[in-house]
Amino acid sequence: MDKISLLQKRKKQILDAGKGIREEINSLIDADSFVELSCFSFSKNEFYGENAEGEGVVTGFATINDYPFYIVAQNAAVLSGGVSKANCEKIAKCLNQAEKTSTPIIWLLSSLGVQLGEGVSVLEGLASLILKASQMKGTIPQYLIVNGEVYGQISLLAGICDFTYLIDKKSALCVNSPLVLSAKDGKNLSKFVVGGADGLKGAQLSSFTVKDIAEVKKSIVAINELISIPVIDSEEMNESLPALDKKADGKGIISVFDKDSAIELGASYCPETKCFLARVGGIAVACVVFDEANGVELTAENVRKIKDFAEFACCFGLPYVTFVNTLGVKCDLATNNSLVIKEIGEYISVLDCIDAAKISIVYGKAVGLGYTVFAAKSMGYDYSYAFANAKIALFDSVQGAEIEYASDKKVDGVKLQQKYADENSDPINAAQGGYIDNIIQPSFVKQYLTASLQMLLK
């Protein structure tokens, strides 16, 4: 067979084997922009006696909305997307190119685990691949799409990548087989119940739950533009929000963001702590909104969510804003015996590393530890504001203060109630001590925030 005929034959084999995954890639990228890397890769799996066309993975680069991305897409049609040593080496070449050019990476994962027959070799390949992805964390944005079933060690990438997408009724992500996991608990659950968005709420791995690849594309474009263009012109910087004077709640606070700019991460878990990438007056920011009428009680889970988000803001130099309505640690035995103290300690370390602007706005309550961690000037916030009707105090109620001081016979209960009621009525006491930069009318919060962000831009 002549060389050209051999080339055409091999190319047809590769295209036939990867038809489905290439269609998925094309639905994500700009038309005709994909350039494939290491296309003519063939190895043979002795266990199955089959060739692995393209090593069961498609890699290359393309543009999405004219922005460049590197793409790693596992091909479930080749040996069930099984991971092999050659598969890992092909992916590593793509990651090295992305690192060299500081280009974001998109992973489309679909794999039932490792290919059998390779022994420890495949584990070495996985180790090098996972380490490389981890080394790139915080320097190059990584987007992971669970594009089907993803089982085994490759699922660890979901804990490394910055954004993980689960597709409704298609994605299942598990370290072990969902059938085995379900059977271990004496249950017969579907793979989506075990490894879908609802099944992974406790794992905090799903940044977004989406309907299809088209929704993923829209999200990636929005996030990339926020990161790539930190400041744009905006006509909204002097906008007033009179509705906040009447009612300042979590839903109302979201109106502070520029129109159609807010992207919520991790909406499927810990909904009382909302994390947004957005723009305020044209400036890209990372914002935490504590959203619960009576103030959010801190737990290991919601603090971990905030900590991971703050770490992202730190790595990519985004201004960090907290809209505070939070109490101290939740008062129950389960929380006391959890990782909450450790998570708060780690959050403080991350907060200290943020070099961009740090701004705190107390719109509800900032009580006890909730004030110390999320609003205190001594915690490193550049500016601290409070709404005129906010509450800043040591305890959430007079009764709490009475309980705390019940054993102290020298404390006059009546005087304590009077003093504490005054202290708890407004944030003036904190401002008098120099701990709050300004007490503001809620409707003008966007103007204050925009001005502060402009002053602190680097």
Side-chain angles (χ1 to χ4, degrees):
M1 184 179 291
D2 64 85
K3 297 292 184 180
I4 293 178
S5 297
L6 179 61
L7 171 64
Q8 292 173 339
K9 179 183 177 181
R10 283 202 155 187
K11 190 169 185 178
K12 185 178 185 305
Q13 285 179 296
I14 291 171
L15 292 176
D16 287 345
K19 181 179 179 182
I21 192 60
R22 283 179 171 78
E23 289 176 353
E24 296 272 19
I25 293 171
N26 288 334
S27 67
L28 184 66
I29 64 174
D30 296 339
D32 301 320
S33 67
F34 185 64
V35 177
E36 191 166 352
L37 300 173
S38 305
C39 178
F40 294 98
S41 298
F42 279 80
S43 63
K44 189 174 184 65
N45 185 291
E46 299 298 335
F47 187 87
Y48 292 103
E50 297 179 33
N51 286 332
E53 289 85 0
E55 307 305 346
V57 63
V58 177
T59 63
F61 55 89
T63 60
I64 300 177
N65 206 33
D66 295 328
Y67 286 97
F69 291 85
Y70 275 89
I71 295 173
V72 174
Q74 286 181 307
N75 185 5
V78 176
L79 298 175
S80 300
V83 180
S84 67
K85 182 74 158 43
N87 180 296
C88 293
E89 289 172 349
K90 182 175 177 178
I91 295 172
K93 291 179 184 178
C94 184
L95 298 186
N96 288 333
Q97 288 297 108
E99 184 177 41
K100 184 177 181 179
T101 57
S102 297
T103 303
I105 300 163
I106 298 173
W107 301 79
L108 288 95
L109 297 189
S110 182
S111 173
L112 298 185
V114 299
Q115 293 182 25
L116 299 179
E118 289 203 346
V120 176
S121 293
V122 67
L123 299 181
E124 286 288 343
L126 276 164
S128 62
L129 176 61
I130 293 167
L131 178 61
K132 171 55 73 175
S134 181
Q135 289 170 338
M136 297 167 68
K137 183 177 177 64
T139 59
I140 298 172
Q142 297 185 67
Y143 303 83
L144 187 148
I145 304 165
V146 181
N147 196 37
E149 298 172 72
V150 178
Y151 308 144
Q153 294 184 33
I154 199 72
S155 66
L156 295 179
L157 289 170
I160 295 171
C161 292
D162 301 292
F163 307 99
T164 297
Y165 295 85
L166 296 182
I167 302 173
D168 189 35
K169 298 179 182 178
K170 182 179 181 181
S171 299
L173 178 73
C174 304
V175 177
N176 297 295
S177 164
L179 293 176
V180 174
L181 291 170
S182 181
K184 284 279 188 179
D185 274 11
K187 299 176 182 178
N188 183 21
L189 304 174
S190 75
K191 59 190 176 185
F192 301 118
V193 172
V194 177
D198 287 340
L200 295 174
K201 283 182 178 179
Q204 297 196 9
L205 290 174
S206 175
S207 303
F208 305 97
T209 302
V210 298
K211 295 178 182 178
D212 50 31
I213 292 290
E215 195 172 337
V216 174
K217 179 178 181 178
K218 184 178 179 181
S219 173
I220 290 176
V221 167
I223 293 171
N224 185 67
E225 287 185 348
L226 276 169
I227 297 172
S228 302
I229 311 174
V231 183
I232 62 173
D233 291 332
S234 173
E235 298 178 356
E236 299 182 39
M237 61 180 63
N238 293 317
E239 183 182 22
S240 63
L241 306 167
L244 290 178
D245 287 343
K246 298 177 181 179
K247 185 178 182 181
D249 58 10
K251 184 177 181 180
I253 290 298
I254 296 172
S255 66
V256 173
F257 306 139
D258 292 356
K259 186 178 179 181
D260 299 327
S261 73
I263 305 165
E264 184 178 0
L265 279 63
S268 63
Y269 55 91
C270 300
E272 72 279 6
T273 48
K274 300 186 183 303
C275 298
F276 292 95
L277 296 176
R279 292 191 188 275
V280 177
I283 300 171
V285 295
C287 289
V288 175
V289 178
F290 289 91
D291 184 18
E292 200 161 279
N294 295 318
V296 173
E297 295 180 299
L298 303 176
T299 65
E301 291 75 23
N302 59 34
V303 175
R304 182 177 66 178
K305 178 179 179 178
I306 298 168
K307 179 194 71 178
D308 290 345
F309 182 65
E311 186 175 23
F312 175 83
C314 177
C315 290
F316 291 96
L318 292 171
Y320 183 67
V321 181
T322 56
F323 287 94
V324 182
N325 182 21
T326 182
L327 315 175
V329 173
K330 186 176 183 180
C331 186
D332 62 25
L333 290 174
T335 303
N336 188 66
N337 190 34
S338 71
L339 293 172
V340 65
I341 293 175
K342 185 173 182 180
E343 293 290 351
I344 291 171
E346 291 180 358
Y347 170 76
I348 292 170
S349 296
V350 172
L351 186 66
D352 186 50
C353 291
I354 295 177
D355 192 43
K358 288 180 283 191
I359 299 172
S360 175
I361 300 171
V362 182
Y363 82 93
K365 297 177 181 179
V367 176
L369 189 63
Y371 171 81
T372 303
V373 176
F374 298 103
K377 290 288 287 185
S378 300
M379 192 58 70
Y381 291 98
D382 298 293
Y383 289 108
S384 293
Y385 298 109
F387 283 9
N389 52 357
K391 295 182 179 180
I392 298 175
L394 186 61
F395 299 99
D396 188 31
S397 66
V398 175
Q399 289 77 16
E402 288 180 323
I403 293 169
E404 186 73 16
Y405 291 103
S407 61
D408 191 343
K409 304 300 182 183
K410 296 180 181 180
V411 175
D412 186 317
V414 175
K415 289 183 178 179
L416 177 63
Q417 286 189 27
Q418 292 174 343
K419 179 179 183 301
Y420 191 78
D422 289 339
E423 180 186 68
N424 201 40
S425 62
D426 59 48
I428 294 296
N429 288 287
Q432 287 176 340
Y435 305 129
I436 296 293
D437 290 300
N438 210 335
I439 311 297
I440 62 177
Q441 186 175 332
S443 58
F444 299 136
V445 61
K446 185 165 186 176
Q447 297 172 28
Y448 278 96
L449 181 54
T450 301
S452 302
L453 289 167
Q454 288 174 336
M455 287 301 298
L456 294 168
L457 280 176
K458 296 184 178 181

